[in-house]
Amino acid sequence: MKEVFCKGCGAKIQTTDSTQPGFISETMFQTFKPSNMICQRCFRIRHYNEVYPYTVSNTDYLKVIERIKEEDALIVKIVDIFDFSGSFVPAIKTLTGNQDVILVGNKMDLLPKNVKPKKIINWLKIMLAAQGFTVLSSILVSAKYGDNFDQLMEMINKYKGKRNVYIVGCSNVGKSKLVNQVLKRYLGEPADVLTVSTSPQTTIGLIGFPLLDGSIIYDTPGVINKHQYMHYLTRTSYKLTVPKKEIKPLVFQLFEGQTLYFGGLARLDIISGETGDKISVITYFANTLNIHRTKTARADELYREKLYTLLSPPFSPEEDLPKWVYHEFRIRDNQKYDIVFSGLGFVTLRAPFHIRAYAPFVVGVYTRLAII
Ligand SMILES: Nc1nc2c(ncn2[C@@H]2O[C@H](COP(=O)(O)OP(=O)(O)OP(=O)(O)O)[C@@H](O)[C@H]2O)c(=O)[nH]1
Ligand SMILES: [Mg+2]
């Protein structure tokens, strides 16, 4: 059988094993033109919004993208600005070695309009530098709506020269959506050439498209990052935790000894506020996530009794979130700070404060100067 690759996910087409990437029935294989072939899984994602995940190990993924190292290329590293700990794995560093890297913070459409992009970029740079990762330039975009794409393309053209461009990053950060947007805006391709989905490991192989000057832009498979909530929740729960549209802030006036639960996924305790008086906490989470307020003294008991019901998602013990840990923040100046729950959202409050932020140990919890 001649080698044919799925147009949506890049997997090698095969007609023998329906549980493996690239499967298509013999009849369909005979029906499609090779240049238009999409696998059964891509077909189901696109037409029925149905996903069945594969378990492709990271080692296999890294093998697919290993060739990038051998080439002098421009790397466009995508991170989800909502999920820093879910967007960065040290393996990416091994992959990109000494290559030139541009950093793209994706999903800016989810942030309230009054966010200062520069502040987010500065924060991302600090976070990357802490991992020993430096970049040539950085930009925030929305792959969904094409925000800042002209600037992104200018940046890519400026740094790539005649080289090829590889779009890399963890699973679900929006690499395929970004390439689709480039194809649609600059190459006149129809919307959604590549398959996009809320599940991990949608893209299986490298998929290249020639740009106008002959360089090739490649979509690549995402490295799986166990720091994402997605890996512990059902698809239904996960969809409730990630914002789908611009986040609307909520304001809570909290007193010392009060707690907020963000579904059953994270928790914030106010140990003390500015003057021991009430403290304003602004929350930025998906509006489908239930935020529940209680007394800290009752918080553990509530969790035991109401996890999966009042405190949800998760909805059942099968959604086995890793053990929770708390991060304690005691800040004494009088600036505004965000406490970031990676993959979920953030809260803003003015220092001085002393708080505890709880989340599963795999999830990054950070503090940064407020971005609003
Ligand atoms: N709100 C918003 N959602 C986005 C954006 N870009 C991607 N998404 C969503 O994020 C999810 C993942 O997008 P993909 O493009 O499939 O991500 P990927 O990085 O290619 O994922 P893999 O192929 O699994 O590595 C989908 O549900 C997209 O709709 C964006 O700019 N804004
Ligand atoms: Mg993809």
Side-chain angles (χ1 to χ4, degrees), residues 191-221:
D192 297 338
V193 172
L194 297 166
T195 308
V196 164
S197 89
T198 45
S199 291
Q201 299 193 318
T202 304
T203 308
I204 303 290
L206 288 178
I207 314 176
F209 300 89
L211 293 168
L212 293 176
D213 63 0
S215 306
I216 298 176
I217 184 165
Y218 286 96
D219 186 19
T220 70

PDB file of all heavy atoms in Angstrom, residues 191-221:
ATOM      1  N   ALA A 191     -11.633  27.012   5.938  1.00  0.00           N
ATOM      2  CA  ALA A 191     -11.467  26.938   7.397  1.00  0.00           C
ATOM      3  C   ALA A 191     -11.246  25.486   7.810  1.00  0.00           C
ATOM      4  O   ALA A 191     -11.766  24.565   7.173  1.00  0.00           O
ATOM      5  CB  ALA A 191     -12.718  27.483   8.060  1.00  0.00           C
ATOM      6  N   ASP A 192     -10.481  25.301   8.869  1.00  0.00           N
ATOM      7  CA  ASP A 192     -10.314  23.981   9.484  1.00  0.00           C
ATOM      8  C   ASP A 192      -9.826  22.870   8.559  1.00  0.00           C
ATOM      9  O   ASP A 192     -10.471  21.838   8.386  1.00  0.00           O
ATOM     10  CB  ASP A 192     -11.616  23.546  10.179  1.00  0.00           C
ATOM     11  CG  ASP A 192     -11.939  24.487  11.305  1.00  0.00           C
ATOM     12  OD1 ASP A 192     -11.002  25.162  11.793  1.00  0.00           O
ATOM     13  OD2 ASP A 192     -13.109  24.578  11.678  1.00  0.00           O
ATOM     14  N   VAL A 193      -8.674  23.100   7.989  1.00  0.00           N
ATOM     15  CA  VAL A 193      -8.003  22.059   7.214  1.00  0.00           C
ATOM     16  C   VAL A 193      -7.538  20.959   8.173  1.00  0.00           C
ATOM     17  O   VAL A 193      -7.715  19.769   7.922  1.00  0.00           O
ATOM     18  CB  VAL A 193      -6.789  22.663   6.471  1.00  0.00           C
ATOM     19  CG1 VAL A 193      -5.964  21.580   5.814  1.00  0.00           C
ATOM     20  CG2 VAL A 193      -7.254  23.692   5.447  1.00  0.00           C
ATOM     21  N   LEU A 194      -6.968  21.397   9.301  1.00  0.00           N
ATOM     22  CA  LEU A 194      -6.460  20.434  10.282  1.00  0.00           C
ATOM     23  C   LEU A 194      -7.530  20.157  11.334  1.00  0.00           C
ATOM     24  O   LEU A 194      -8.324  21.036  11.667  1.00  0.00           O
ATOM     25  CB  LEU A 194      -5.222  21.012  10.980  1.00  0.00           C
ATOM     26  CG  LEU A 194      -4.040  21.277  10.071  1.00  0.00           C
ATOM     27  CD1 LEU A 194      -3.009  22.152  10.768  1.00  0.00           C
ATOM     28  CD2 LEU A 194      -3.416  19.944   9.667  1.00  0.00           C
ATOM     29  N   THR A 195      -7.510  18.957  11.868  1.00  0.00           N
ATOM     30  CA  THR A 195      -8.494  18.607  12.888  1.00  0.00           C
ATOM     31  C   THR A 195      -8.099  19.220  14.228  1.00  0.00           C
ATOM     32  O   THR A 195      -6.949  19.151  14.645  1.00  0.00           O
ATOM     33  CB  THR A 195      -8.599  17.065  13.014  1.00  0.00           C
ATOM     34  OG1 THR A 195      -8.826  16.543  11.714  1.00  0.00           O
ATOM     35  CG2 THR A 195      -9.724  16.666  13.938  1.00  0.00           C
ATOM     36  N   VAL A 196      -9.105  19.811  14.888  1.00  0.00           N
ATOM     37  CA  VAL A 196      -8.918  20.483  16.185  1.00  0.00           C
ATOM     38  C   VAL A 196      -9.896  19.854  17.156  1.00  0.00           C
ATOM     39  O   VAL A 196     -11.028  19.569  16.785  1.00  0.00           O
ATOM     40  CB  VAL A 196      -9.264  21.985  15.997  1.00  0.00           C
ATOM     41  CG1 VAL A 196      -9.479  22.685  17.315  1.00  0.00           C
ATOM     42  CG2 VAL A 196      -8.189  22.689  15.175  1.00  0.00           C
ATOM     43  N   SER A 197      -9.462  19.585  18.398  1.00  0.00           N
ATOM     44  CA  SER A 197     -10.452  19.093  19.371  1.00  0.00           C
ATOM     45  C   SER A 197     -10.019  19.401  20.785  1.00  0.00           C
ATOM     46  O   SER A 197      -8.861  19.722  21.041  1.00  0.00           O
ATOM     47  CB  SER A 197     -10.663  17.588  19.204  1.00  0.00           C
ATOM     48  OG  SER A 197      -9.745  16.879  20.001  1.00  0.00           O
ATOM     49  N   THR A 198     -10.968  19.260  21.722  1.00  0.00           N
ATOM     50  CA  THR A 198     -10.664  19.530  23.131  1.00  0.00           C
ATOM     51  C   THR A 198      -9.888  18.381  23.762  1.00  0.00           C
ATOM     52  O   THR A 198      -9.459  18.481  24.900  1.00  0.00           O
ATOM     53  CB  THR A 198     -11.961  19.686  23.957  1.00  0.00           C
ATOM     54  OG1 THR A 198     -12.838  18.626  23.576  1.00  0.00           O
ATOM     55  CG2 THR A 198     -12.616  21.015  23.750  1.00  0.00           C
ATOM     56  N   SER A 199      -9.754  17.263  23.051  1.00  0.00           N
ATOM     57  CA  SER A 199      -9.028  16.134  23.642  1.00  0.00           C
ATOM     58  C   SER A 199      -7.554  16.185  23.289  1.00  0.00           C
ATOM     59  O   SER A 199      -7.184  16.765  22.270  1.00  0.00           O
ATOM     60  CB  SER A 199      -9.604  14.823  23.118  1.00  0.00           C
ATOM     61  OG  SER A 199     -10.873  14.663  23.638  1.00  0.00           O
ATOM     62  N   PRO A 200      -6.732  15.555  24.145  1.00  0.00           N
ATOM     63  CA  PRO A 200      -5.294  15.580  23.862  1.00  0.00           C
ATOM     64  C   PRO A 200      -4.930  14.698  22.684  1.00  0.00           C
ATOM     65  O   PRO A 200      -5.703  13.819  22.290  1.00  0.00           O
ATOM     66  CB  PRO A 200      -4.685  15.020  25.145  1.00  0.00           C
ATOM     67  CG  PRO A 200      -5.754  14.199  25.756  1.00  0.00           C
ATOM     68  CD  PRO A 200      -7.050  14.832  25.372  1.00  0.00           C
ATOM     69  N   GLN A 201      -3.764  14.907  22.132  1.00  0.00           N
ATOM     70  CA  GLN A 201      -3.199  14.069  21.061  1.00  0.00           C
ATOM     71  C   GLN A 201      -4.107  13.991  19.843  1.00  0.00           C
ATOM     72  O   GLN A 201      -4.347  12.916  19.309  1.00  0.00           O
ATOM     73  CB  GLN A 201      -2.886  12.669  21.594  1.00  0.00           C
ATOM     74  CG  GLN A 201      -1.864  12.712  22.712  1.00  0.00           C
ATOM     75  CD  GLN A 201      -1.295  11.350  23.054  1.00  0.00           C
ATOM     76  OE1 GLN A 201      -2.013  10.372  23.121  1.00  0.00           O
ATOM     77  NE2 GLN A 201       0.002  11.296  23.276  1.00  0.00           N
ATOM     78  N   THR A 202      -4.613  15.131  19.430  1.00  0.00           N
ATOM     79  CA  THR A 202      -5.434  15.161  18.220  1.00  0.00           C
ATOM     80  C   THR A 202      -4.522  15.012  17.006  1.00  0.00           C
ATOM     81  O   THR A 202      -4.790  14.215  16.107  1.00  0.00           O
ATOM     82  CB  THR A 202      -6.217  16.486  18.150  1.00  0.00           C
ATOM     83  OG1 THR A 202      -6.978  16.607  19.346  1.00  0.00           O
ATOM     84  CG2 THR A 202      -7.134  16.529  16.942  1.00  0.00           C
ATOM     85  N   THR A 203      -3.451  15.781  16.969  1.00  0.00           N
ATOM     86  CA  THR A 203      -2.508  15.687  15.851  1.00  0.00           C
ATOM     87  C   THR A 203      -1.517  14.554  16.124  1.00  0.00           C
ATOM     88  O   THR A 203      -0.971  14.465  17.227  1.00  0.00           O
ATOM     89  CB  THR A 203      -1.762  17.025  15.678  1.00  0.00           C
ATOM     90  OG1 THR A 203      -2.736  18.060  15.594  1.00  0.00           O
ATOM     91  CG2 THR A 203      -0.901  17.019  14.431  1.00  0.00           C
ATOM     92  N   ILE A 204      -1.314  13.718  15.097  1.00  0.00           N
ATOM     93  CA  ILE A 204      -0.490  12.518  15.299  1.00  0.00           C
ATOM     94  C   ILE A 204       0.855  12.618  14.581  1.00  0.00           C
ATOM     95  O   ILE A 204       1.865  12.115  15.059  1.00  0.00           O
ATOM     96  CB  ILE A 204      -1.251  11.265  14.782  1.00  0.00           C
ATOM     97  CG1 ILE A 204      -2.614  11.140  15.483  1.00  0.00           C
ATOM     98  CG2 ILE A 204      -0.432  10.008  14.928  1.00  0.00           C
ATOM     99  CD1 ILE A 204      -2.545  10.762  16.946  1.00  0.00           C
ATOM    100  N   GLY A 205       0.867  13.252  13.405  1.00  0.00           N
ATOM    101  CA  GLY A 205       2.120  13.317  12.637  1.00  0.00           C
ATOM    102  C   GLY A 205       2.442  14.759  12.267  1.00  0.00           C
ATOM    103  O   GLY A 205       1.668  15.678  12.551  1.00  0.00           O
ATOM    104  N   LEU A 206       3.606  14.939  11.637  1.00  0.00           N
ATOM    105  CA  LEU A 206       3.958  16.275  11.145  1.00  0.00           C
ATOM    106  C   LEU A 206       3.149  16.560   9.895  1.00  0.00           C
ATOM    107  O   LEU A 206       3.038  15.698   9.024  1.00  0.00           O
ATOM    108  CB  LEU A 206       5.431  16.303  10.743  1.00  0.00           C
ATOM    109  CG  LEU A 206       6.482  16.267  11.831  1.00  0.00           C
ATOM    110  CD1 LEU A 206       7.865  16.259  11.177  1.00  0.00           C
ATOM    111  CD2 LEU A 206       6.343  17.477  12.734  1.00  0.00           C
ATOM    112  N   ILE A 207       2.599  17.755   9.790  1.00  0.00           N
ATOM    113  CA  ILE A 207       1.849  18.099   8.575  1.00  0.00           C
ATOM    114  C   ILE A 207       2.372  19.449   8.087  1.00  0.00           C
ATOM    115  O   ILE A 207       2.277  20.455   8.796  1.00  0.00           O
ATOM    116  CB  ILE A 207       0.336  18.224   8.854  1.00  0.00           C
ATOM    117  CG1 ILE A 207      -0.148  17.045   9.714  1.00  0.00           C
ATOM    118  CG2 ILE A 207      -0.447  18.267   7.539  1.00  0.00           C
ATOM    119  CD1 ILE A 207      -1.588  17.128  10.115  1.00  0.00           C
ATOM    120  N   GLY A 208       2.936  19.452   6.873  1.00  0.00           N
ATOM    121  CA  GLY A 208       3.556  20.676   6.357  1.00  0.00           C
ATOM    122  C   GLY A 208       2.739  21.335   5.264  1.00  0.00           C
ATOM    123  O   GLY A 208       2.074  20.657   4.485  1.00  0.00           O
ATOM    124  N   PHE A 209       2.802  22.657   5.221  1.00  0.00           N
ATOM    125  CA  PHE A 209       2.138  23.422   4.157  1.00  0.00           C
ATOM    126  C   PHE A 209       3.121  24.464   3.647  1.00  0.00           C
ATOM    127  O   PHE A 209       3.713  25.199   4.452  1.00  0.00           O
ATOM    128  CB  PHE A 209       0.903  24.159   4.710  1.00  0.00           C
ATOM    129  CG  PHE A 209      -0.123  23.239   5.290  1.00  0.00           C
ATOM    130  CD1 PHE A 209      -0.062  22.873   6.631  1.00  0.00           C
ATOM    131  CD2 PHE A 209      -1.127  22.710   4.500  1.00  0.00           C
ATOM    132  CE1 PHE A 209      -0.993  22.009   7.171  1.00  0.00           C
ATOM    133  CE2 PHE A 209      -2.074  21.841   5.030  1.00  0.00           C
ATOM    134  CZ  PHE A 209      -2.004  21.491   6.370  1.00  0.00           C
ATOM    135  N   PRO A 210       3.281  24.567   2.307  1.00  0.00           N
ATOM    136  CA  PRO A 210       4.212  25.582   1.792  1.00  0.00           C
ATOM    137  C   PRO A 210       3.639  26.986   1.962  1.00  0.00           C
ATOM    138  O   PRO A 210       2.456  27.215   1.696  1.00  0.00           O
ATOM    139  CB  PRO A 210       4.345  25.225   0.311  1.00  0.00           C
ATOM    140  CG  PRO A 210       3.295  24.214   0.016  1.00  0.00           C
ATOM    141  CD  PRO A 210       2.689  23.727   1.280  1.00  0.00           C
ATOM    142  N   LEU A 211       4.488  27.892   2.437  1.00  0.00           N
ATOM    143  CA  LEU A 211       4.101  29.311   2.505  1.00  0.00           C
ATOM    144  C   LEU A 211       4.381  29.925   1.133  1.00  0.00           C
ATOM    145  O   LEU A 211       4.986  29.281   0.268  1.00  0.00           O
ATOM    146  CB  LEU A 211       4.907  30.028   3.601  1.00  0.00           C
ATOM    147  CG  LEU A 211       4.600  29.577   5.034  1.00  0.00           C
ATOM    148  CD1 LEU A 211       5.633  30.127   6.015  1.00  0.00           C
ATOM    149  CD2 LEU A 211       3.189  29.998   5.452  1.00  0.00           C
ATOM    150  N   LEU A 212       4.011  31.194   0.954  1.00  0.00           N
ATOM    151  CA  LEU A 212       4.139  31.785  -0.382  1.00  0.00           C
ATOM    152  C   LEU A 212       5.578  31.813  -0.880  1.00  0.00           C
ATOM    153  O   LEU A 212       5.836  31.694  -2.071  1.00  0.00           O
ATOM    154  CB  LEU A 212       3.557  33.208  -0.374  1.00  0.00           C
ATOM    155  CG  LEU A 212       2.032  33.245  -0.160  1.00  0.00           C
ATOM    156  CD1 LEU A 212       1.532  34.676  -0.071  1.00  0.00           C
ATOM    157  CD2 LEU A 212       1.307  32.476  -1.258  1.00  0.00           C
ATOM    158  N   ASP A 213       6.549  31.941   0.054  1.00  0.00           N
ATOM    159  CA  ASP A 213       7.940  32.033  -0.385  1.00  0.00           C
ATOM    160  C   ASP A 213       8.638  30.675  -0.448  1.00  0.00           C
ATOM    161  O   ASP A 213       9.853  30.595  -0.609  1.00  0.00           O
ATOM    162  CB  ASP A 213       8.720  32.968   0.550  1.00  0.00           C
ATOM    163  CG  ASP A 213       8.774  32.418   1.964  1.00  0.00           C
ATOM    164  OD1 ASP A 213       8.213  31.329   2.199  1.00  0.00           O
ATOM    165  OD2 ASP A 213       9.384  33.065   2.826  1.00  0.00           O
ATOM    166  N   GLY A 214       7.875  29.583  -0.271  1.00  0.00           N
ATOM    167  CA  GLY A 214       8.470  28.258  -0.415  1.00  0.00           C
ATOM    168  C   GLY A 214       8.899  27.608   0.895  1.00  0.00           C
ATOM    169  O   GLY A 214       9.099  26.392   0.938  1.00  0.00           O
ATOM    170  N   SER A 215       9.043  28.390   1.976  1.00  0.00           N
ATOM    171  CA  SER A 215       9.325  27.748   3.271  1.00  0.00           C
ATOM    172  C   SER A 215       8.094  26.937   3.655  1.00  0.00           C
ATOM    173  O   SER A 215       6.988  27.248   3.231  1.00  0.00           O
ATOM    174  CB  SER A 215       9.506  28.765   4.385  1.00  0.00           C
ATOM    175  OG  SER A 215      10.449  29.695   4.084  1.00  0.00           O
ATOM    176  N   ILE A 216       8.315  25.947   4.524  1.00  0.00           N
ATOM    177  CA  ILE A 216       7.172  25.112   4.922  1.00  0.00           C
ATOM    178  C   ILE A 216       6.819  25.373   6.382  1.00  0.00           C
ATOM    179  O   ILE A 216       7.709  25.465   7.232  1.00  0.00           O
ATOM    180  CB  ILE A 216       7.495  23.629   4.686  1.00  0.00           C
ATOM    181  CG1 ILE A 216       7.734  23.438   3.174  1.00  0.00           C
ATOM    182  CG2 ILE A 216       6.356  22.729   5.147  1.00  0.00           C
ATOM    183  CD1 ILE A 216       8.152  22.056   2.780  1.00  0.00           C
ATOM    184  N   ILE A 217       5.537  25.502   6.641  1.00  0.00           N
ATOM    185  CA  ILE A 217       5.080  25.646   8.029  1.00  0.00           C
ATOM    186  C   ILE A 217       4.510  24.292   8.452  1.00  0.00           C
ATOM    187  O   ILE A 217       3.704  23.705   7.729  1.00  0.00           O
ATOM    188  CB  ILE A 217       4.064  26.806   8.188  1.00  0.00           C
ATOM    189  CG1 ILE A 217       3.678  26.998   9.651  1.00  0.00           C
ATOM    190  CG2 ILE A 217       2.796  26.611   7.358  1.00  0.00           C
ATOM    191  CD1 ILE A 217       2.985  28.318   9.946  1.00  0.00           C
ATOM    192  N   TYR A 218       4.996  23.764   9.589  1.00  0.00           N
ATOM    193  CA  TYR A 218       4.581  22.436  10.042  1.00  0.00           C
ATOM    194  C   TYR A 218       3.756  22.505  11.313  1.00  0.00           C
ATOM    195  O   TYR A 218       4.173  23.129  12.299  1.00  0.00           O
ATOM    196  CB  TYR A 218       5.811  21.578  10.376  1.00  0.00           C
ATOM    197  CG  TYR A 218       6.574  21.083   9.167  1.00  0.00           C
ATOM    198  CD1 TYR A 218       7.688  21.779   8.698  1.00  0.00           C
ATOM    199  CD2 TYR A 218       6.182  19.913   8.512  1.00  0.00           C
ATOM    200  CE1 TYR A 218       8.399  21.313   7.598  1.00  0.00           C
ATOM    201  CE2 TYR A 218       6.897  19.448   7.413  1.00  0.00           C
ATOM    202  CZ  TYR A 218       7.994  20.147   6.961  1.00  0.00           C
ATOM    203  OH  TYR A 218       8.684  19.688   5.883  1.00  0.00           O
ATOM    204  N   ASP A 219       2.615  21.826  11.300  1.00  0.00           N
ATOM    205  CA  ASP A 219       1.910  21.533  12.547  1.00  0.00           C
ATOM    206  C   ASP A 219       2.561  20.272  13.099  1.00  0.00           C
ATOM    207  O   ASP A 219       2.986  19.402  12.329  1.00  0.00           O
ATOM    208  CB  ASP A 219       0.425  21.291  12.259  1.00  0.00           C
ATOM    209  CG  ASP A 219      -0.388  21.118  13.548  1.00  0.00           C
ATOM    210  OD1 ASP A 219       0.111  21.529  14.624  1.00  0.00           O
ATOM    211  OD2 ASP A 219      -1.513  20.579  13.480  1.00  0.00           O
ATOM    212  N   THR A 220       2.647  20.166  14.412  1.00  0.00           N
ATOM    213  CA  THR A 220       3.320  19.009  15.007  1.00  0.00           C
ATOM    214  C   THR A 220       2.438  18.407  16.106  1.00  0.00           C
ATOM    215  O   THR A 220       1.554  19.090  16.629  1.00  0.00           O
ATOM    216  CB  THR A 220       4.680  19.415  15.640  1.00  0.00           C
ATOM    217  OG1 THR A 220       4.420  20.196  16.810  1.00  0.00           O
ATOM    218  CG2 THR A 220       5.553  20.202  14.679  1.00  0.00           C
ATOM    219  N   PRO A 221       2.668  17.151  16.470  1.00  0.00           N
ATOM    220  CA  PRO A 221       1.888  16.565  17.566  1.00  0.00           C
ATOM    221  C   PRO A 221       2.264  17.227  18.893  1.00  0.00           C
ATOM    222  O   PRO A 221       3.391  17.695  19.058  1.00  0.00           O
ATOM    223  CB  PRO A 221       2.328  15.105  17.581  1.00  0.00           C
ATOM    224  CG  PRO A 221       3.157  14.900  16.384  1.00  0.00           C
ATOM    225  CD  PRO A 221       3.652  16.219  15.925  1.00  0.00           C
TER     226      PRO A 221
END
